[in-house]
């Protein structure tokens, strides 16, 4: 509830929060005004329920996109070393990237995107990530970059089994993956802008969505 402009106060940006259960104790004219405003607000929200549902689904996609961008940044900053820890670090980041990308692409209830929405030159890299996710990271389904390398030796009436595997790795991910992430970022942003424009068109009211870098306290988490 905004300050009363007739009170002589200059600061009109200050708001007071009144719990709903306290409204009944306000003066009648205040109570009637607040209840009328609440009813009007509920009617407006009900008229754009479909658009708000779309916006909610896109917000979940945005969260997944933020995760994907963070993983890609980690992959880009990755520096290879000839150690098992380094190899496993790259494997972990690549797997996380592939799984998160496919989760974003498949979406849910219309929040994903199709292969056809991508520029033609990026589609092979999209296919590469999907195959990585399906055959190497989500399932052991015979991806061409993984080969079993078990060896069996026999000596002194005893068989010795040596388990192993041959892995082909892409250090830091393919360079084109960044372009793919940037395009999907723009695709989701464009969808959100269209929903916001539809909200304004249907209600005749202004709708805003904060944009820009995250708050300082959120950036410190990265």
């Amino acid at each position: 509830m905004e300050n009363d402009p007739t009170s002589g106060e200059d600061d009109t940006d200050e708001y007071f929060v009144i719990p709903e259960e306290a409204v009944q104790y306000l003066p009648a004219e205040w109570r009637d005004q607040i209840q009328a405003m609440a009813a009007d607000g509920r009617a407006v929200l009900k008229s754009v329920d479909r658009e708000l549902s779309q916006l909610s689904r896109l917000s979940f996609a945005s969260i997944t996109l933020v995760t994907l961008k963070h993983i890609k940044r980690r992959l880009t900053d990755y520096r290879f070393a000839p150690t098992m820890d380094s190899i496993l670090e790259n494997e972990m980041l690549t797997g996380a990237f592939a799984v998160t990308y496919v989760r974003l692409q498949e979406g849910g209830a219309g929040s994903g995107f199709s292969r056809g929405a991508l520029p033609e030159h990026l589609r092979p890299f999209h296919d590469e990530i999907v195959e990585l996710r399906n055959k190497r990271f989500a399932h052991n389904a015979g991806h061409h970059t993984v080969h079993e390398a078990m060896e069996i030796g026999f000596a002194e009436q005893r068989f010795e089994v040596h388990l192993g595997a041959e892995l082909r790795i892409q250090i830091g991910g393919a360079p084109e993956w960044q372009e793919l992430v940037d395009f999907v970022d723009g695709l989701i942003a464009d969808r959100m802008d269209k929903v916001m424009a539809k909200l304004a068109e249907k209600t005749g009211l202004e709708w805003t969505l904060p944009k820009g870098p995250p708050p300082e306290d959120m950036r410190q988490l990265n």
Side-chain angles (χ1 to χ4, degrees):
M1 178 177 163
E2 192 173 345
N3 276 350
D4 183 354
T6 64
S7 65
E9 297 287 341
D10 292 332
D11 186 6
T12 58
D13 291 332
E14 185 177 352
Y15 286 79
F16 299 101
V17 177
I18 300 176
E20 186 175 356
E21 58 270 17
V23 172
Q24 59 182 316
Y25 302 109
L26 295 175
E29 59 183 283
W30 287 22
R31 183 175 64 246
D32 293 344
Q33 182 180 7
I34 291 173
Q35 290 174 342
M37 291 172 61
D40 290 344
R42 285 192 290 267
V44 169
L45 293 177
K46 185 176 181 180
S47 71
V48 291
D49 182 70
R50 179 181 177 184
E51 286 73 21
L52 292 176
S53 295
Q54 291 175 340
L55 197 61
S56 178
R57 291 192 294 269
L58 287 172
S59 72
F60 279 102
S62 297
I63 294 170
T64 306
L65 178 62
V66 169
T67 303
L68 184 69
K69 291 163 69 175
H70 175 77
I71 299 169
K72 183 63 188 75
R73 185 166 61 251
R74 289 282 302 275
L75 269 172
T76 301
D77 294 340
Y78 169 82
R79 295 295 177 264
F80 178 76
T83 65
M84 182 57 69
D85 281 350
S86 179
I87 292 171
L88 292 176
E89 178 79 8
N90 186 80
E91 185 79 352
M92 176 185 69
L93 291 172
T94 303
F97 179 86
V99 171
T100 304
Y101 176 85
V102 174
R103 184 168 78 241
L104 179 64
Q105 186 259 322
E106 291 182 347
S111 65
F113 59 92
S114 68
R115 182 180 185 274
L118 303 172
E120 189 170 351
H121 73 283
L122 290 178
R123 294 174 190 172
F125 301 101
H126 164 87
D127 296 340
E128 175 186 68
I129 297 170
V130 172
E131 186 179 30
L132 268 173
R133 182 266 185 190
N134 292 342
K135 293 188 176 183
R136 178 164 171 169
F137 294 111
H139 310 282
N140 288 320
H143 193 262
H144 63 87
T145 61
V146 181
H147 300 282
E148 178 269 325
M150 182 175 66
E151 296 181 355
I152 300 177
F154 181 78
E156 300 179 354
Q157 302 300 308
R158 180 179 62 187
F159 287 99
E160 294 185 353
V161 180
H162 300 275
L163 301 178
E166 296 178 359
L167 303 177
R168 193 180 79 184
I169 63 174
Q170 171 77 52
I171 298 174
E176 292 81 5
W177 289 4
Q178 183 61 58
E179 184 181 356
L180 187 58
V181 171
D182 290 342
F183 181 85
V184 174
D185 190 3
L187 187 69
I188 292 177
D190 181 64
R191 286 185 179 178
M192 296 187 81
D193 286 343
K194 288 179 178 178
V195 173
M196 296 297 289
K198 189 66 175 180
L199 287 168
E201 177 187 344
K202 291 186 70 171
T203 64
L205 300 170
E206 180 182 6
W207 292 73
T208 61
L209 189 66
K211 294 184 178 180
E216 185 64 34
D217 57 342
M218 290 296 292
R219 289 199 294 269
Q220 291 174 355
L221 297 177
N222 290 337

